[in-house]
Amino acid sequence: MACGSCGTTENGVPKGCKSNGNCGTGGTCGSGSKLAVFDWLSNMTLPSGEERFNIFEVRFKNGRKHFYKNPENLPIIMGDIVAVEGSPGHDIGTVSLAGELVKVQMKKRKITADHEDVKKIYRKASQRDIDVWQASRAKEEETQKKGREILGRLGLQMKLSDVEYQGDGNKATFYYTAETRVDFRQLIRDLASAFSIRVEMKQVGARQEAARLGGIGSCGRELCCSTWLTDFRKVTTSAARYQQLSLNPLKLAGQCGKLKCCLNFELDAYLDTLKTFPKQDLVLKTEKGEAIFVKMDIFKQHLWYTYKEERFKWFRLTLEQVLEIVDLNKNNEKSISLEEYEADVIIPEKVSFEDAVGQDSLTRFDAPKTSKRRRNNKNKNNKKPVAAVGNKQPVKAVQKGKPQAKHPQKQHPKPRPKQQPKPKVNTNPNANQPKAEEKKTTKPRRNNNNRNRNNSNPNNGNDSEK
């Protein structure tokens, strides 16, 4: 049961309304509606003498649904846009469910047919009603921005999360969240005078706010509360403890700031599995001493124990081994040491990545890359020394009698002369003589120039050998 825009073309290619999950036409397919119910009884005729159930489920903005009765027996089907009773005026919504399945939904919410919340359906919406409804919906974003500006001016400790206009445009509902009680009487006056409408304030919780706004969870999918989850059950930290999860609030909390609802999804399976495990406060009695519980792996059915007196080492045991020790302790018998039990535990080897089809290693990006600056500096240090340009000191010719080394760059550098102690200050005019002697003894530049000149002149080596 799909609307016309969700059908396929002649070539079998789906058209799609490009609404990304929100049906803009309000068709009978119910795509985008929160937990849309497929009416599998729509093609079945009622028994003779049985009247059709005269209450319909109508959907509004953000999946808000209410039940309305049809006193005038209008021919209404799923997907029709109807004008229903409001407070005051009328509201516009889309029929999301009709027929016998409405009884099931009303029973689930514990609402009877004569309940005060079950209001009337006035008529099918005309084109004028739809135009006014769409014009009112278009003003919601601007109204929310101005409402937040008024909140900031008044300095109220509350957060305005959403605004919803009634179908006739005469009333707007402001949804807000606040941690403490807020006096918003002055806020209502300012909002009513700013927008010339009837204002209704509704406080919602953090989870209801996330459900209305929507988003993407840490699993990569849309939030459960905004897609299919209708009731919010209590989530406690004990659910994380039973599943052996670390109590890290950054990982356990959702976008609403509360514990994730998905912690309850697999909790029953964990509780059923933990029934076969011994209690964590149980002490095992062995020949070497008493052992206490440390941690467990529910999937592999492995448990870690350690001795009370020697807690520096943990011993891995299987569930069968632990139950065997427990049975021995019940008969007032002590089991063998944990070292002997651990020796019998078979640990499966981890399958590493195999390069079977010429693929790259998964860890090819783990090694840190050396920067270009470091590489250039290393190459500069390995280069041969070059003679200084513009050196005005005279260079002596190489003496033929003294042999020169073929590779002077490989010679070990001469040890640096020890620094002489500073001379004492003296009034003697010959006090500057030691400094002159130091200048004569140190000749680093002359040696370097000689070496560089030898390297540049290839005939120097032959002359020295002669």
Side-chain angles (χ1 to χ4, degrees):
M1 299 177 65
C3 57
S5 62
C6 295
T8 56
T9 60
E10 296 178 357
N11 299 328
V13 180
K15 294 179 181 178
C17 52
K18 297 181 180 181
S19 59
N20 297 325
N22 295 314
C23 186
T25 60
T28 56
C29 61
S31 63
S33 60
K34 186 174 181 180
L35 200 64
V37 179
F38 175 70
D39 190 5
W40 56 277
L41 297 174
S42 59
N43 296 329
M44 298 180 67
T45 58
L46 294 172
S48 59
E50 185 93 10
E51 294 183 359
R52 189 183 181 189
F53 193 60
N54 212 21
I55 296 179
F56 297 83
E57 184 186 67
V58 182
R59 185 182 72 248
F60 300 94
K61 182 185 176 183
N62 291 328
R64 181 172 62 91
K65 297 178 181 180
H66 293 289
F67 299 103
Y68 294 89
K69 50 190 173 183
N70 184 14
E72 299 182 3
N73 296 323
L74 299 172
I76 298 174
I77 59 174
M78 289 177 60
D80 287 344
I81 300 176
V82 293
V84 298
E85 181 182 358
S87 56
H90 68 273
D91 202 354
I92 305 296
T94 307
V95 177
S96 58
L97 193 63
E100 297 296 318
L101 291 181
V102 181
K103 291 182 180 179
V104 181
Q105 297 297 322
M106 293 179 66
K107 185 177 180 181
K108 181 181 178 181
R109 299 189 188 184
K110 299 179 181 179
I111 297 176
T112 57
D114 55 350
H115 197 271
E116 59 181 3
D117 291 340
V118 180
K119 298 180 181 179
K120 300 178 182 179
I121 295 177
Y122 288 150
R123 62 185 181 277
K124 281 188 177 182
S126 61
Q127 186 60 41
R128 183 176 177 278
D129 294 333
I130 295 175
D131 293 340
V132 174
W133 175 43
Q134 292 178 349
S136 301
R137 291 287 299 272
K139 295 189 296 183
E140 290 177 354
E141 187 176 354
E142 186 65 24
T143 303
Q144 185 176 354
K145 291 180 181 179
K146 291 184 179 179
R148 288 177 176 175
E149 293 176 1
I150 296 173
L151 271 177
R153 188 173 67 249
L154 295 177
L156 298 177
Q157 298 297 324
M158 56 187 295
K159 177 185 175 184
L160 187 63
S161 60
D162 195 12
V163 178
E164 181 180 357
Y165 268 87
Q166 198 169 264
D168 55 1
N170 296 327
K171 176 186 170 183
T173 305
F174 292 81
Y175 296 92
Y176 71 95
T177 56
E179 297 181 358
T180 57
R181 187 181 179 87
V182 181
D183 185 10
F184 45 76
R185 288 177 291 183
Q186 183 62 36
L187 175 64
I188 293 176
R189 298 191 195 99
D190 294 346
L191 292 175
S193 60
F195 305 112
S196 302
I197 53 173
R198 183 183 177 90
V199 176
E200 181 181 354
M201 304 295 296
K202 226 174 224 188
Q203 185 176 4
V204 294
R207 290 184 175 179
Q208 285 81 3
E209 180 187 13
R212 295 183 70 85
L213 299 179
I216 304 297
S218 58
C219 57
R221 303 183 65 179
E222 292 186 51
L223 298 180
C224 299
C225 55
S226 61
T227 51
W228 63 271
L229 196 63
T230 55
D231 55 338
F232 297 99
R233 296 184 180 181
K234 188 177 181 181
V235 185
T236 59
T237 54
S238 60
R241 290 193 184 98
Y242 282 120
Q243 300 177 45
Q244 307 296 320
L245 299 175
S246 61
L247 300 180
N248 187 357
L250 297 177
K251 293 183 178 180
L252 298 180
Q255 291 191 1
C256 58
K258 307 294 182 182
L259 292 176
K260 293 180 180 178
C261 298
C262 55
L263 291 176
N264 284 338
F265 296 166
E266 298 179 355
L267 181 60
D268 294 337
Y270 277 89
L271 292 176
D272 293 339
T273 307
L274 286 173
K275 289 179 181 178
T276 58
F277 282 73
K279 294 183 179 180
Q280 299 180 5
D281 57 351
L282 186 64
V283 179
L284 304 182
K285 297 178 181 179
T286 63
E287 295 176 353
K288 193 173 180 180
E290 295 182 346
I292 56 176
F293 172 82
V294 179
K295 66 174 185 176
M296 71 172 67
D297 190 337
I298 299 177
F299 298 105
K300 296 181 181 179
Q301 293 188 346
H302 287 174
L303 296 93
W304 281 262
Y305 282 85
T306 182
Y307 291 112
K308 282 186 176 181
E309 299 177 355
E310 301 176 0
R311 301 195 178 189
F312 58 88
K313 186 177 181 182
W314 297 354
F315 299 94
R316 184 203 295 256
L317 306 177
T318 61
L319 179 60
E320 297 177 358
Q321 293 174 344
V322 175
L323 295 177
E324 181 183 346
I325 298 174
V326 172
D327 293 338
L328 291 174
N329 293 339
K330 287 181 179 179
N331 298 329
N332 296 327
E333 297 180 9
K334 293 184 178 180
S335 66
I336 57 178
S337 60
L338 299 181
E339 289 86 349
E340 299 182 18
Y341 277 110
E342 189 182 29
D344 298 335
V345 177
I346 300 174
I347 302 175
E349 296 182 359
K350 293 183 179 180
V351 180
S352 59
F353 175 77
E354 296 181 1
D355 190 4
V357 252
Q359 296 178 354
D360 293 331
S361 174
L362 294 176
T363 59
R364 62 186 183 275
F365 297 117
D366 294 348
K369 294 183 179 179
T370 56
S371 62
K372 292 184 179 179
R373 187 178 297 175
R374 286 186 180 179
R375 248 182 271 160
N376 295 336
N377 293 338
K378 191 179 288 185
N379 295 335
K380 286 180 182 179
N381 296 334
N382 294 334
K383 284 183 179 179
K384 297 178 181 179
V386 183
V389 180
N391 192 358
K392 296 181 180 181
Q393 292 184 358
V395 182
K396 290 185 177 182
V398 181
Q399 297 180 3
K400 294 183 179 181
K402 296 181 181 180
Q404 296 290 333
K406 293 184 179 180
H407 303 285
Q409 66 273 15
K410 294 185 179 179
Q411 293 181 359
H412 297 287
K414 295 181 179 180
R416 305 175 83 181
K418 296 183 180 180
Q419 295 182 357
Q420 297 181 2
K422 293 182 180 180
K424 296 181 181 180
V425 179
N426 198 358
T427 57
N428 192 0
N430 298 326
N432 296 328
Q433 290 180 359
K435 294 183 179 179
E437 292 177 1
E438 290 180 3
K439 290 182 179 179
K440 292 179 181 179
T441 55
T442 57
K443 298 178 181 179
R445 290 186 177 180
R446 189 174 296 174
N447 294 336
N448 292 335
N449 292 332
N450 289 338
R451 291 177 184 176
N452 297 329
R453 190 169 184 179
N454 293 335
N455 293 333
S456 61
N457 190 1
N459 298 327
N460 288 341
N462 300 331
D463 294 344
S464 62
E465 289 179 0
K466 292 177 182 179

